[in-house]
Amino acid sequence: MTAHTGERKRRPARTAAGFLVALLPVAVTVAVYAYGRTHTPDYTRGLFGQHGAGVIDLKARLGSALMALAVVQLLLGLWMYRRLPGAGAAPRRVQPTHRIIGLLAFLLSLPIAYQCITAYGVEFSSSRVAVHSIAGCVLYGVFVAKVLVVRSRRLPGWALPAAGGALVTAIALLWYTAALWFFAGSAPGF
């Protein structure tokens, strides 16, 4: 068997594995959406002992903290890849700081998402709620995509900034359609 023949045999396996890895973020997004559409919402569900307006205020504050962490992540990512104007090369501690803050952001998102999906599910009662619901489903699919892209050495150079940008965009949409909307006094609920 020649090296060329062995290479041809490995390509279909790589292609299949790459296809399955690409499907994982989509599967996560679809699974969150399906759960949110099929379960019975419990509008009385609380969060950390808060109920009613208290839970909405708490989620708005936690969501704002998540948005702040996402902005820090974006700035650290730009610094690591020398795209932050005037910052120069990032010191070594920036990369582990970026990872720790990313983990903290992910962990912070979990109780917010759990309360949203169990209390409200995926709703389309208004355009704001629809955008919020879809962005919430996409968030975890994009997170999975970013983790996979970070671990891959074979993807093009634009894949990581695209995944990171999509993640920050999803968080910004969630913050804009819930926390900012709440703090602006647009409505007493969700």
Side-chain angles (χ1 to χ4, degrees), residues 16-178:
F19 183 70
L20 290 174
V21 167
L23 281 181
L24 188 58
V26 174
V28 168
T29 300
V30 169
V32 173
Y33 175 84
Y35 178 78
R37 290 298 290 167
T38 58
H39 92 286
T40 303
D42 177 5
Y43 299 109
T44 64
R45 181 166 302 274
L47 179 64
F48 300 126
Q50 297 293 316
H51 294 278
V55 75
I56 296 164
D57 181 66
L58 177 59
K59 284 191 332 185
R61 292 177 191 285
L62 292 174
S64 294
L66 177 61
M67 184 67 226
L69 290 175
V71 169
V72 170
Q73 280 292 91
L74 176 63
L75 293 172
L76 290 174
L78 289 170
W79 195 8
M80 285 189 308
Y81 288 95
R82 301 185 118 188
R83 300 285 189 237
L84 192 61
R92 287 185 177 188
R93 68 181 179 273
V94 170
Q95 187 173 3
T97 302
H98 181 77
R99 287 183 179 168
I100 290 168
I101 291 174
L103 175 63
L104 290 174
F106 175 74
L107 293 174
L108 179 60
S109 76
L110 292 174
I112 303 166
Y114 179 77
Q115 199 281 335
C116 282
I117 197 86
T118 57
Y120 304 106
V122 174
E123 293 184 4
F124 299 106
S125 56
S126 71
S127 57
R128 179 193 64 82
V129 172
V131 168
H132 187 80
S133 291
I134 296 301
C137 295
V138 167
L139 174 69
Y140 291 100
V142 172
F143 176 78
V144 168
K146 183 166 186 285
V147 168
L148 293 173
V149 169
V150 164
R151 301 284 178 218
S152 174
R153 303 273 187 229
R154 296 183 184 132
L155 293 172
W158 56 263
L160 184 57
L167 190 54
V168 171
T169 300
I171 292 169
L173 276 172
L174 289 165
W175 178 78
Y176 180 79
T177 57

